[in-house]
Amino acid sequence: MSDLSQSLLKSLNPEQINAVTSTEGYVRVVAGAGSGKTRVLTTRYVYIAKALGVAPSHILSVTFTNKAANEMKKRIRRFMPDEDGGWILTIHGACNKILKEEIHRLHYPSTFMIMDEDDQKSLLKKIYEENGLTLKDHSYKKCLDAIGVYKGKYGYVPYFSDPSGQTAAPGLPRADEKGSYDFVIKKYLELQRRNYFVDFDDLVFFTLEIFDQFPDAKERWQRQFEYIQVDEFQDVSEPEFRLVKTLSLLNKNMFVVGDPDQTIYTWRGADIRIFLDFDKIFNDVTTVVLDRNYRSTPEILSVGNSLIKHNTERLKKDLRAVRKSGIKVHYHHARVRQEECEYIAERVLRLNKEGTPLGDIAVLYRSNYMSRPVEDAFLKYGIPYAIYSGVEFYQRKEIKDCIAYMRMLEFADDLSFERIVNVPARGIGKKRMAAISALAQNEKISLYQAFKRLNASALFEKTGAKKLLNAIEDGRTLAQNADTDICDLLDFMLKKSGYEEYLMLCGDQNRLDNVTELKAAIKDFVDDAGERVTLAEYLAAVALISNADKKDRESCVKLMTVHTAKGLEFPYVFVCSLNEGLFPSVKIENKEEMEEERRVAYVAFTRAQDGLFLSDSDGFDIQTKGRLLPSRFIFNIDDALIKKSGEITDEYLQTALEYIRASEYALSHPTVPDFRAYLGGERVSHPVFGDGTVTGKQSGAYVVKFDNGNIRTISESSGVLKPI
């Protein structure tokens, strides 16, 4: 072995050395959490370039995110200062570079524009406006989902690449029905083709089409990439895998790194079977297992191992700790959510007092709305915190909108009026707002008073002004009643103003969850007061909730979802809201989804380096509309591995175990077909109503548009629908 090779490999363990030096053929590396996979990837890149003498331009290194790609480039430059890392990028970045040189084959210019999600929504908005459609027909989110499903199902690229414009878009039989998904998809494709727009799905599918139709282009790029390595391989989708597989077929060198136990993106197209079956897809696959964990203490790893062994879709392995023993994993059960979050706050303060910087502590939760009670507790205890990849609860748009509606009832101030007057859209745009402002300025009155005066004028005749005025005036009358509950008042305003319907039509469940959580926060505030609370008192309290005095983010406790935390590590981790219906989510409908949810929990646990704290609470939950029960993931952990606190009665424990047993049985024995494909329109048959198409799902029921034109909501538990 050369001096260079020895220098590169000297800091690696035997398994890592095996991975780095396995340069030829198809190699699968099962890299457990904290096992040094990034070090292996970067060292292998340098090893191939320096020790084997392969030009870096012939090494394609695909990562999952731009952040990961930049980190890899940074590490490689320590060994190769002049290396620009031109082919260290995401799969979409690689496709973009290839298309810049090849897309002319599809009669597209190399100056094509890549659309992000906001651009896509702008395109849909244009389609809606031009064709008289509204969000009541389809939300943008569902349309984008439908477009994604369509592009994955049909060979649509020839529609774009035919310069004569004669090729029809395939698979759109209802494209002439103005309100159908097919109609919107067709219009979307037309606008794309006319403007030479490319979205993220197109980057992959255009590249695949070029490789399929032009053998010389395929061979050129196969020769270009003598070595291919793919990070986070457990998260690749079938089209992405098809792409890297095609590129590898000439030189037959592909190195994939990942961990099936951390596959948490199946909702985004990730297919765990690709990693699990890698040795069946290719011949003579070398598999290397990296199971030495350098991140966490043995206590934390034993809990993670104990949890994930309950999954069946995995490659069996137990992570082995390199570090010395530390503190035992702590599980706390609280009586109510508020007490759970105060327990977290108190433990954070204790850790800080013992010398742990606040920036070394993270609180992880399943969904963004779960941050609210944690934030409230931290504000109460004066603990600075920062939300990562999210917005502080009371700063979220929908929460500020709700508060503005309530302020209108108490203050009718200009700021609140400007915020809510056209949300949802009521036709009160710049011209009408200018008229309101002019009257208010001339008469020295508030904007709302001016709005009331102008409401009956011809200028506002064809707008939603009257509906808004009635909602506010009726709400103000209701607010003056001493017996009116603040939560009921918010409910009234959201319904009467049309804001609740607007959120539903937007189809953003996170925003709906946040509004539900605000109602829970109001209830907690009233309960804590122990006496009647006026609207003015509540609004004053909310106004005082501010993060203005927070220190910089690095000296704050980090709050984030588990998905945001993937790939990160923290000395101390708190995982909260470990309750049935919350974590695992109430939306889980089959065994495969529950296994993914368990993998999400595994990712959360393995972020911790020195200390892991798990918590849940009893009580009624406004999100699941039922009693809170401990998560099955707590019971999945060997009892001897965790230190417990908080009181759980035998009756409560028995209730939880019976619920989990029943749930596990139901997940493993589905009796009703799952038609969740509101996206493409699953065809079903009903014994009375005949044949129809599933258009959506809500509150445990399927919304079906039958061929006779009738729309019916059919309970999912009835079992009467049959797939055609």
Side-chain angles (χ1 to χ4, degrees):
M1 186 179 292
S2 69
D3 292 342
L4 174 61
S5 297
Q6 287 182 330
S7 173
L8 285 172
L9 305 177
K10 67 179 180 181
S11 62
L12 305 182
N13 67 39
E15 295 83 15
Q16 291 172 334
I17 291 172
N18 187 13
V20 168
T21 56
S22 296
T23 60
E24 309 306 307
Y26 290 96
V27 183
R28 173 179 60 181
V29 177
V30 185
S35 62
K37 72 176 181 65
T38 304
R39 174 182 286 187
V40 166
L41 281 163
T42 53
T43 305
R44 186 176 185 273
Y45 184 100
V46 176
Y47 183 83
I48 292 171
K50 302 284 281 185
L52 303 187
V54 176
S57 60
H58 290 274
I59 307 170
L60 173 64
S61 193
V62 175
T63 65
F64 198 61
T65 64
N66 286 314
K67 180 181 177 183
N70 291 333
E71 174 62 25
M72 192 170 169
K73 290 177 185 178
K74 182 179 173 183
R75 293 194 188 194
I76 285 171
R77 287 191 187 112
R78 295 173 190 168
F79 299 94
M80 304 166 64
D82 298 329
E83 167 56 16
D84 66 358
W87 288 104
I88 302 171
L89 27 60
T90 65
I91 191 80
H92 294 102
C95 289
N96 182 40
K97 286 190 73 170
I98 292 171
L99 288 175
K100 287 291 184 185
E101 298 190 38
E102 302 289 352
I103 203 169
H104 67 276
R105 296 173 184 264
L106 300 180
H107 306 284
Y108 249 63
S110 60
T111 54
F112 61 87
M113 189 190 95
I114 301 174
M115 296 189 294
D116 61 17
E117 189 171 317
D118 284 341
D119 296 324
Q120 290 179 289
K121 287 179 178 177
S122 295
L123 213 59
L124 289 176
K125 183 180 179 183
K126 179 179 174 65
I127 292 167
Y128 279 31
E129 289 172 350
E130 289 179 351
N131 294 279
L133 301 176
T134 70
L135 288 172
K136 288 186 178 180
D137 295 293
H138 305 295
S139 71
Y140 291 157
K141 182 180 184 302
K142 286 186 177 180
C143 274
L144 291 179
D145 286 344
I147 291 165
V149 169
Y150 168 81
K151 289 187 173 181
K153 191 181 291 187
Y154 296 100
Y156 68 96
V157 181
Y159 169 80
F160 284 107
S161 59
D162 178 6
S164 70
Q166 299 301 308
T167 302
L172 297 173
R174 295 183 299 137
D176 293 331
E177 297 178 26
K178 189 170 265 194
S180 69
Y181 280 114
D182 288 358
F183 176 84
V184 177
I185 292 171
K186 185 171 185 292
K187 291 295 181 184
Y188 179 91
L189 297 178
E190 287 173 356
L191 278 176
Q192 270 199 272
R193 182 168 69 173
R194 190 185 314 155
N195 294 281
Y196 300 114
F197 291 156
V198 173
D199 63 27
F200 271 40
D201 286 335
D202 298 328
L203 289 171
V204 175
F205 287 119
F206 276 34
T207 308
L208 284 170
E209 181 73 10
I210 288 170
F211 289 168
D212 287 343
Q213 299 301 322
F214 302 97
D216 61 318
K218 178 173 68 175
E219 185 178 343
R220 173 197 170 184
W221 293 101
Q222 286 176 333
R223 291 192 181 282
Q224 172 81 33
F225 302 126
E226 298 172 17
Y227 292 87
I228 298 170
Q229 51 185 37
V230 186
D231 190 13
E232 302 286 8
F233 191 71
Q234 78 279 350
D235 290 327
V236 300
S237 65
E238 189 280 329
E240 290 167 349
F241 171 62
R242 196 157 22 112
L243 183 69
V244 292
K245 177 186 176 184
T246 299
L247 287 171
S248 75
L249 290 177
L250 181 65
N251 293 295
K252 294 182 170 47
N253 288 326
M254 182 157 64
F255 179 88
V256 301
V257 185
D259 183 5
D261 290 338
Q262 297 186 71
T263 300
I264 62 174
Y265 290 109
T266 59
W267 51 272
R268 211 158 66 184
D271 186 349
I272 191 174
R273 295 304 320 175
I274 296 173
F275 194 104
L276 296 178
D277 294 339
F278 193 77
D279 57 342
K280 298 182 180 69
I281 298 169
F282 299 107
N283 295 323
D284 300 322
V285 169
T286 300
T287 296
V288 180
V289 178
L290 304 181
D291 58 3
R292 299 193 201 195
N293 178 283
Y294 293 87
R295 175 187 298 157
S296 308
T297 63
E299 288 78 6
I300 294 169
L301 290 186
S302 63
V303 166
N305 289 335
S306 183
L307 170 75
I308 202 63
K309 73 180 182 183
H310 291 271
N311 274 11
T312 56
E313 290 285 310
R314 63 187 297 257
L315 297 171
K316 291 184 179 179
K317 71 177 186 310
D318 275 346
L319 292 179
R320 298 178 291 148
V322 173
R323 296 183 56 192
K324 294 180 180 178
S325 186
I327 62 173
K328 205 166 191 178
V329 174
H330 190 198
Y331 160 60
H332 180 74
H333 174 77
R335 288 188 307 115
V336 293
R337 178 71 69 229
Q338 181 181 344
E339 284 188 12
E340 177 191 354
C341 296
E342 289 184 355
Y343 152 78
I344 294 172
E346 288 166 0
R347 291 302 300 240
V348 166
L349 289 175
R350 190 191 308 179
L351 286 169
N352 187 234
K353 188 175 181 181
E354 292 169 354
T356 301
L358 292 177
D360 285 353
I361 303 171
V363 180
L364 309 183
Y365 33 79
R366 181 64 181 84
S367 301
N368 275 311
Y369 73 87
M370 295 177 186
S371 74
R372 195 276 305 171
V374 180
E375 292 185 65
D376 285 354
F378 280 16
L379 289 165
K380 178 179 178 180
Y381 282 76
I383 300 172
Y385 66 89
I387 300 279
Y388 281 69
S389 281
V391 181
E392 281 79 358
F393 184 80
Y394 289 99
Q395 298 302 313
R396 291 168 189 165
K397 181 186 182 302
E398 58 275 12
I399 300 305
K400 292 175 80 70
D401 288 345
C402 289
I403 299 298
Y405 270 107
M406 295 176 77
R407 282 181 175 150
M408 283 303 298
L409 307 186
E410 186 68 28
F411 309 116
D413 61 291
D414 287 358
L415 287 177
S416 297
F417 177 77
E418 286 182 303
R419 184 174 190 92
I420 60 94
V421 66
N422 208 39
V423 179
R426 300 184 174 94
I428 306 174
K430 291 181 180 179
K431 180 181 176 182
R432 292 183 174 92
M433 274 304 298
I436 294 171
S437 298
L439 180 60
Q441 199 165 10
N442 291 337
E443 298 290 324
K444 293 184 170 46
I445 56 178
S446 71
L447 291 176
Y448 181 61
Q449 288 172 317
F451 173 69
K452 286 172 69 174
R453 287 198 199 176
L454 292 170
N455 203 268
S457 69
L459 184 63
F460 288 85
E461 188 177 356
K462 295 182 179 179
T463 70
K466 189 170 182 59
K467 180 179 179 180
L468 176 62
L469 178 64
N470 290 341
I472 295 171
E473 290 300 303
D474 291 349
R476 298 188 85 179
T477 301
L478 191 62
Q480 289 166 9
N481 187 328
D483 296 326
T484 300
D485 179 84
I486 302 173
C487 211
D488 291 340
L489 198 58
L490 176 59
D491 260 335
F492 174 85
M493 283 304 295
L494 296 184
K495 287 183 173 67
K496 188 89 172 179
S497 67
Y499 189 78
E500 187 171 70
E501 183 187 19
Y502 157 73
L503 283 185
M504 289 178 177
L505 292 172
C506 287
D508 190 332
Q509 189 60 44
N510 283 335
R511 295 173 69 184
L512 288 166
D513 287 343
N514 287 337
V515 172
T516 303
E517 193 61 30
L518 176 63
K519 295 174 185 177
I522 294 172
K523 184 179 182 300
D524 289 346
F525 181 81
V526 173
D527 290 346
D528 288 346
E531 58 186 15
R532 183 180 177 276
V533 177
T534 66
L535 177 58
E537 288 170 337
Y538 173 71
L539 291 173
V542 170
L544 294 173
I545 297 176
S546 167
N547 294 313
D549 59 346
K550 282 198 303 187
K551 300 175 186 176
D552 65 276
R553 288 166 73 90
E554 290 308 308
S555 58
C556 297
V557 179
K558 298 171 175 64
L559 273 59
M560 66 187 77
T561 64
V562 181
H563 283 83
T564 300
K566 189 172 185 292
L568 304 177
E569 57 187 37
F570 314 94
Y572 292 91
V573 170
F574 291 80
V575 184
C576 65
S577 299
L578 279 161
N579 288 98
E580 288 294 309
L582 300 179
F583 198 175
S585 167
V586 70
K587 299 170 186 174
I588 301 305
E589 296 183 341
N590 54 53
K591 182 175 177 287
E592 291 72 24
E593 289 180 0
M594 184 57 73
E595 291 214 350
E596 171 146 359
E597 199 75 352
R598 189 175 284 108
R599 292 194 292 267
V600 175
Y602 176 76
V603 167
F605 294 178
T606 53
R607 299 310 94 198
Q609 296 171 296
D610 304 323
L612 175 62
F613 301 86
L614 314 176
S615 62
D616 65 7
S617 63
D618 197 347
F620 178 83
D621 181 62
I622 197 167
Q623 294 284 350
T624 60
K625 296 180 174 61
R627 187 181 185 186
L628 287 169
L629 298 170
S631 169
R632 69 195 67 196
F633 301 150
I634 296 295
F635 297 109
N636 285 165
I637 302 167
D638 185 342
D639 221 34
L641 300 177
I642 51 178
K643 177 182 177 182
K644 298 181 180 179
S645 61
E647 295 182 12
I648 299 182
T649 65
D650 290 340
E651 175 270 330
Y652 180 67
L653 183 63
Q654 196 60 34
T655 300
L657 291 173
E658 287 175 2
Y659 171 86
I660 292 167
R661 273 195 293 269
S663 171
E664 290 289 336
Y665 182 84
L667 292 172
S668 300
H669 299 78
T671 56
V672 181
D674 178 11
F675 296 116
R676 287 171 303 159
Y678 56 81
L679 308 176
E682 296 270 318
R683 295 288 292 166
V684 294
S685 176
H686 187 279
V688 175
F689 304 133
D691 296 344
T693 303
V694 176
T695 61
K697 185 175 178 182
Q698 54 183 232
S699 304
Y702 301 106
V703 180
V704 183
K705 182 177 181 181
F706 289 95
D707 293 350
N708 60 13
N710 292 330
I711 297 176
R712 295 285 184 266
T713 304
I714 310 297
S715 170
E716 64 177 321
S717 60
S718 66
V720 298
L721 292 177
K722 305 297 180 187
I724 297 177

